[in-house]
Amino acid sequence: MDRLRVGILGATGMIGQRFFTLLHGHPGFELVAMYASARRHGSTLASAWRLPDSPGPEASGLEIREGSVDAVRGDRLDLVFSALPASAAAVEAELAAAGVAVFSNASAHRLDAGVPLLVPEVNPDHLGLLGNNGPGFVVTNPNCTVTGLALVLHALRRAVRFDRVFVTSYPALSGAGFDGPSAMDSHGNVLPHIPSEEDKLAAETPKILGRLDGQAIVPADIRVYANCARVPVRDGHLEAVTLECEERVDLGEIAAALAGFRGLPQEKRLPTAPESPILVRTEADRPQPARDVYAGTPSRARGMAVTVGRLRADGAVLRLFLLVNNTIRGGAGGSVLNAELAHATGHLG
Amino acid sequence: MDRLRVGILGATGMIGQRFFTLLHGHPGFELVAMYASARRHGSTLASAWRLPDSPGPEASGLEIREGSVDAVRGDRLDLVFSALPASAAAVEAELAAAGVAVFSNASAHRLDAGVPLLVPEVNPDHLGLLGNNGPGFVVTNPNCTVTGLALVLHALRRAVRFDRVFVTSYPALSGAGFDGPSAMDSHGNVLPHIPSEEDKLAAETPKILGRLDGQAIVPADIRVYANCARVPVRDGHLEAVTLECEERVDLGEIAAALAGFRGLPQEKRLPTAPESPILVRTEADRPQPARDVYAGTPSRARGMAVTVGRLRADGAVLRLFLLVNNTIRGGAGGSVLNAELAHATGHLG
Amino acid sequence: MDRLRVGILGATGMIGQRFFTLLHGHPGFELVAMYASARRHGSTLASAWRLPDSPGPEASGLEIREGSVDAVRGDRLDLVFSALPASAAAVEAELAAAGVAVFSNASAHRLDAGVPLLVPEVNPDHLGLLGNNGPGFVVTNPNCTVTGLALVLHALRRAVRFDRVFVTSYPALSGAGFDGPSAMDSHGNVLPHIPSEEDKLAAETPKILGRLDGQAIVPADIRVYANCARVPVRDGHLEAVTLECEERVDLGEIAAALAGFRGLPQEKRLPTAPESPILVRTEADRPQPARDVYAGTPSRARGMAVTVGRLRADGAVLRLFLLVNNTIRGGAGGSVLNAELAHATGHLG
Amino acid sequence: MDRLRVGILGATGMIGQRFFTLLHGHPGFELVAMYASARRHGSTLASAWRLPDSPGPEASGLEIREGSVDAVRGDRLDLVFSALPASAAAVEAELAAAGVAVFSNASAHRLDAGVPLLVPEVNPDHLGLLGNNGPGFVVTNPNCTVTGLALVLHALRRAVRFDRVFVTSYPALSGAGFDGPSAMDSHGNVLPHIPSEEDKLAAETPKILGRLDGQAIVPADIRVYANCARVPVRDGHLEAVTLECEERVDLGEIAAALAGFRGLPQEKRLPTAPESPILVRTEADRPQPARDVYAGTPSRARGMAVTVGRLRADGAVLRLFLLVNNTIRGGAGGSVLNAELAHATGHLG
C-alpha cells in the first residue's frame, strides 16, 4: 500500500529532529518535505543536526524550505507534522483552512473548541470533533508533562475515584529545546519556573479526560495543582503524583489497573504504539530517567511507554512516581501516534 | 567569658566536617576534641577533608580518637555535637546517661519521648522536656528536609489554617553523605527513593509543630504527604509545598507572615541565627540551589536562612517553593543553633 | 549456517551488559551462557540490569552461573567473552589451557607475550601469535582509551612519521564501571587520577602498533606520554592528541588518510565493523561525547567508529581531538569484532 | 590612609560581579562607581546578581551608569577595573589617553607593545613599560588559563630548562560567562572548541615570561601547544602540562621549586596575595576543581593560589596537573592584585 506523504514544520528544532528520527523507515508515512524558518532555507537537516545519533544520509536529501500555505499545498502532502513554537503556530490554522491535515505539538491550538487534544489511548473518540470539518484540521498532542499524567490518570480512573490531583514535576532540560537555559543557570541547579507549564497542566488535563458531547468536549471534573522545577537531566520528565481519593486505596487493584491498561492503539496495533502503554515497576528506586526514559516495545515504540513506580497508599491518599519521555511520547512520538490513529480511523482522506 | 568546651562525634563525615567549619572561630564554643570510627584513630581531620574549602591548619591540630563514654568524659566537655549515622547513635544515649549534653543530627532519638526535636525559631519551649533530666541529655535537630518545611509551616500557621501538607522534595546529593549514590546512578538522573525520608517528613513535622504539655509533646494535627527524589545538585534541598487551607488564601498576608517572621534566636541574637530566618523572593525563578543555598546574614549565619518563592494561591490552595541548605541549616548549623539556644536559656551547666 | 555458541564471563557488570546488547540478534554468535560472581548465581541478567535501554525478555531466559572451567567446558562453547575485572581474570588463562577460546576485555593478559592485543583494523596479523596454540587461547582488546588512539595513530602513520605522542584524555564515568566514583566526588568535578591508566597507554600502544616477527611482537618505536582526568560525562572518551612529526604536516593529506582508512574488517564486511572506522568532522566544535559517541554505521556498528576533529598543524606539530565510545569500540564491541575476525580468518575451530 | 577611589567597567557580567565581591571591604580600594551597558543604566547590581552568594546591601547602593570617558573622569577615580568583553574594550585605550589608570581583564590590549601583561609574582618589572606614559595607562592580566600556566612555568624555570610546552586544559563553564553554552550543549558533554583560546596560550605565555629590555618586552623562547575543551564544571580550570626538558628531571627539586616559590606580592604582603602562590599536593588524586578551586590563604586570597599535583618524571619529560580559579586568580583577582602591585610600586599617582 502507498505510504502517505508527510512533511515537518519546524524541522530543525528539538521536536522537529525527533519527528525526523521517528519517521525514518515508518511503514505508513513517507517524509517528503521539511520546512523551517528563513535562516535555514536552502540547507539540509544534516547541517542543523544536534541529537546524539547520526541523522543518516536521508537528512541530506531534502532541502529545507519555507512552510507557507502555498508551499505545503504545492507539495501535495497527506498531512503535516508541526514542531513549531506556539508563537509561530498561526500558520497551522491557515493550513487547516486550506485543507491540510495538521498534527501539531504546539500549544497554540490545544484548547481551541474544535481541536482534539489527543492521547490515543485515552480519548480517541475526541477525533469526533473533526466531524464537521473539511479535509483540513488541526489535531494536537498535549504538553509533554500532561501526556504522561493524563495517560496514568485515565488508567487510574478505572480503579479509583478522585477529583484533586497534586503533581510536582522534575522536567528535563530537553523540554526547553536546544537553546533553553544556559549552562551556568542549569548546571547543578534546579530552576523552579517554566513559563505557563503549571497552567497547562491545570487546563489541558481536564480537556483530555473530558467527554465528547455532540461537537463539544465537556471537561472532566478534575483539579490539577502543579509545581514544576527543571532539573539537570537530559531527557525524561519525572512526576510525583498525589491523589486524594474518595475511598481507601487498594494498591493491588491500582497496580493491576495500570499494568493491564490497553487502548485503541494497542488494539489496532498502530506502528508507534507500545505493547503496554504503562509499565509498572516494583523496585524501590524506579522509575528513573537514566533507566526508563526509552521504555517501550517494539523498537518503533521505544520511549512511548510511561513507567510508573513507588505506588504508596495511605488511607485514601495514593502516591506514585511516573516517568514520560518528553520528546518522544510527550512530543513527536505522541503526534505521530495521533496521525496513525487518525489514519486508522478513516480521518485522513 | 570562657568558651564552652565542645567535641564532635563522627567528625570525618559530611556533617562532621560542616560542624568543624561552623565551629571555627565560634564566639561561644571551643572545639577541643574530635571523634570518629576506628580506621581514623590517630589521624587528623586534614587527611579526611573532602569539602571544597581548605580546612585550615586547625584541622591538623587535633588527633581523631574513639568517641567512647570514657573518652568523652575524660575530655571534660561541656557538650558534644553528634554527626553519627543513626546506626551508630546508641552511644548518644549512653553519653547522656553519663551526664554529657549531646546535640545530635542523627535520626536515632528524634522521636524519643523525652528528646526535644528542635528548630529554635519554632519550638524553643520544647527544651522544657529536659526539665527532669540531669546534666546529660540529647537534643536533636530534624531531618534536613523537615527543618526547612517546619520553619515555613510554623510561620504560615500564623496567617492561615491547614492540616494537610503535600510536599515534594528535590534533595541534593550531599544529603546522602560523601559516599552516597555512585556517579553512574546519579549523573543526569533523578533517584526517586531515599530510604525512610518520606516517613521522616510525616513523623517529625507534627512533633516539631506540637505543643509541650507538662513533660510531653502533643503532636500537631497535621498530615504530611511526601514524595522525595534526589537530583544531581551538590547542595541545597528544594521543596515544592502545596497546602489545602481552610479559607481563601491572601498572598499578601502570607508573604508578610513569612518575611516578617522572627523567633527567639533572633531576639537573643544567637551567633549562628540569621537576621531573617525566612527570605521571600519575588522573582519568578527563585529559589534556586545555585543562587540561594548560602542565604543568610551575618556571615556566621551563611546558609542558615530558608528561601521561599513562587507563592501562588488558587482559592484555598497555597503553593510555594522553599530551599534549605541541607548540611548547614538542615544539618550541622541547626545543631549548633540548638546548642546556642540551650546555652542562652540556661540548660548547659 | 549454524551460529557459534558463546558465553559471557562477568555478565552483570557494565561491559558484561554491553556484551549482552551487542550479541542480541548477532548473525554469527548465539549467546547460550552467562557467568558472574557468586552473589548473582541463580538470578538472571534482568535483575541486575542498569543500562538505559531495556534488556528485553531474553535477559530473563538464561540463569547466571559460576564461570568455572568445568562449567564453561560443560556448556560446549565455541568461545567465551570476558568482562571480568583484571583481578579475577586468572580464570581466562585456565580456560585457554583447557581448550577454550577467550576474547577478553580484561587488562590481565594484554601484555603477555603469546596473547594478541588486537584492534582488527590495525594489527589483524597479530592473530598469528596463536599459531602454536591449541584450540584454547586468549585474545585481548586494549584499554578503552588506547583503542581509539591506536586506530588513529595507525591511520596517521600512513601519512606522516612520528615517534612521540602526547595525549591527554577526558575519560567518561562509565569507564569506571557501575560502581565507580561517588556522586559527590564526580559531580561538577574532574578527577585527575585513574590507577594505571596512563601506564596502559604507554605500554599497550607500542605493542598494538608493533610488528609480528615469527612468534613475537616487536613493539613499535613510539613513546606515549599521557595525562588522564575523568570528567562528568556518562559515555565517550575524548582525547587531545599532539604529535611531534619528523616533517612539516600537510593537513589535507592527514584528513584524507584518516577518512579513507579501511582495514580487514571492512574488507571482510564483519557484522560489527563500521563502514568507516574513522570519521573526520570539519565543524569547529567536534567531536563531542554528546553528539558523536554512537558514531558508526550500519546499526550493528553503532558506537564502533572513532570520530576525529579539530585537525591543526603548526609546522611539524599536529594536533587533533578524537572520541571513542569506551564501552562499545573501546570495550565489548572491540572484543566482539576481535572474535568476528578470528572466526573469519579460521582461528575458531 | 585614604583608600583609592575605584570603579568597575562591565560590572554586571561574571567577572564584573567577581570584582565587586573582591573589592568588598578591601583595605586599599573603595568602590565608588559601577558602569555597564545601556540596558542596565539606572538599575543596581543587586538586580543583575547571579553569583551564588548574596551581593549584600552594598550592591543596592550604587547606580549603574554609562562608562564613558566623561563619566569616568567626572567620578575622579584613581583607577578603574575593566571586565569588558574584548569587543567593547576600545574605551580602555580612550580612558588611558584621558589619564585614567585601567586594570583590565579584557583580551583586547594584552599583546599591545606598551601594555604590561602582568602576573605580579612573575613579571612585576614589566610595569616598567609604563615609564613613558602619563598618569593614564592600561595594565592587563592574562587569559584565565594562561595565568595558572605562566605562574607554574615561571617557578619551574628556576629548576629546569625547557622550551616546548604541551598543555591540555579542562576549562570550566564560568569561563564562558553567565550566558555561555546552552544546557543541552554542555550537560554531560565536553566542548572541544573555545574561540581563540589555544592561540591566546601560545601568544600570551611568551610575553609574560619575557624580558623587559628598555621599553620593550623580548618574548621568552617558549612554544606552547595547546588543546582546550570545556567540561561541565562550574568553576576552576584544570590543566595537564607536559614539558620536554633539556635534562633529566628531578622531582624533588621540582616540587621544592614550586612549593617554595614566592614573588614580590608575597614580599610586599599585598592584601590579595596568597601566602603561597603555588600549593603542591602529594595525594594521588589532586588537584580537583571541587576541592581546590578556592585554595589560598588568608581569606582575602581565597581562590588566588594555584594548586599543582601529580608530578611525574619520565626521563626528561615532566608531567603535572595544575588548577587555577578562572574567575578569581585567572580573572578579577588577578587584576586586583595587579592594581595592588602598581600602587605599592608607586605607579598610581
Side-chain angles (χ1 to χ4, degrees), chain B residues 17-28:
Chain B
Q17 298 194 7
R18 275 289 182 205
F19 272 123
F20 181 86
T21 61
L22 293 169
L23 293 171
H24 178 80
H26 193 283

Side-chain angles (χ1 to χ4, degrees), chain C residues 150-187:
Chain C
L151 198 50
V152 169
L153 293 182
H154 176 68
L156 284 173
R157 289 173 90 195
R158 305 180 163 202
V160 68
R161 285 177 299 170
F162 54 86
D163 60 10
R164 290 170 88 83
V165 176
F166 302 94
V167 58
T168 297
S169 69
Y170 300 67
L173 299 170
S174 58
F178 288 129
D179 297 305
S182 74
M184 283 302 285
D185 277 348
S186 62
H187 182 79

Side-chain angles (χ1 to χ4, degrees), chain D residues 93-159:
Chain D
E94 297 170 27
L95 285 165
V100 177
V102 180
F103 290 85
S104 172
N105 182 64
S107 62
H109 300 291
R110 284 181 194 151
L111 302 179
D112 289 1
V115 170
L117 179 56
L118 202 65
V119 179
E121 285 90 345
V122 174
N123 59 345
D125 58 311
H126 288 202
L127 283 176
L129 283 177
L130 306 180
N132 290 342
N133 295 352
F137 55 76
V138 176
V139 170
T140 59
N141 57 291
N143 165 280
C144 42
T145 302
V146 173
T147 300
L149 182 65
L151 198 51
V152 169
L153 293 183
H154 176 67
L156 284 173
R157 289 173 89 194
R158 304 180 163 203

Side-chain angles (χ1 to χ4, degrees), chain B residues 59-75:
Chain B
S60 303
L62 287 174
E63 188 179 296
I64 293 172
R65 290 173 298 125
E66 185 186 2
S68 65
V69 172
D70 282 353
V72 175
R73 292 193 63 178
D75 287 328

Side-chain angles (χ1 to χ4, degrees), chain A residues 164 169-170 192 227 244 310, chain B residues 164 169-170 192 244 310 312:
Chain A
R164 290 171 91 83
S169 68
Y170 300 68
N227 293 285
E244 288 185 312
R310 296 208 64 230
Chain B
R164 291 171 90 82
S169 68
Y170 300 67
E244 289 186 311
R310 296 206 66 230
R312 289 150 291 157

Side-chain angles (χ1 to χ4, degrees), chain B residues 170-176 230-238 326, chain C residues 184:
Chain B
Y170 300 67
L173 298 170
S174 57
R230 199 177 299 285
V231 295
V233 165
R234 185 167 281 267
D235 290 300
H237 289 3
L238 187 75
N326 53 302
Chain C
M184 283 302 285

Side-chain angles (χ1 to χ4, degrees), chain B residues 188-275:
Chain B
N189 197 16
V190 183
L191 291 167
H193 183 54
I194 304 174
S196 304
E197 181 90 350
E198 295 164 356
D199 294 340
K200 288 176 185 171
L201 270 76
E204 295 180 14
T205 311
K207 177 172 178 180
I208 300 164
L209 299 178
R211 183 170 48 83
L212 179 69
D213 184 8
Q215 286 306 307
I217 303 296
V218 181
D221 184 22
I222 283 188
R223 298 294 304 265
V224 176
Y225 298 95
N227 294 284
C228 303
R230 199 177 299 285
V231 295
V233 165
R234 185 167 281 267
D235 290 300
H237 289 3
L238 187 75
E239 306 179 33
V241 180
T242 303
L243 299 179
E244 289 186 311
C245 302
E246 294 182 21
E247 59 262 54
R248 195 173 180 76
V249 175
D250 179 318
L251 281 188
E253 286 178 18
I254 296 289
L258 291 168
F261 173 69
R262 299 291 183 279
L264 195 55
Q266 284 72 41
E267 186 183 312
K268 290 188 174 290
R269 299 178 175 276
L270 300 180
T272 305
E275 290 168 7

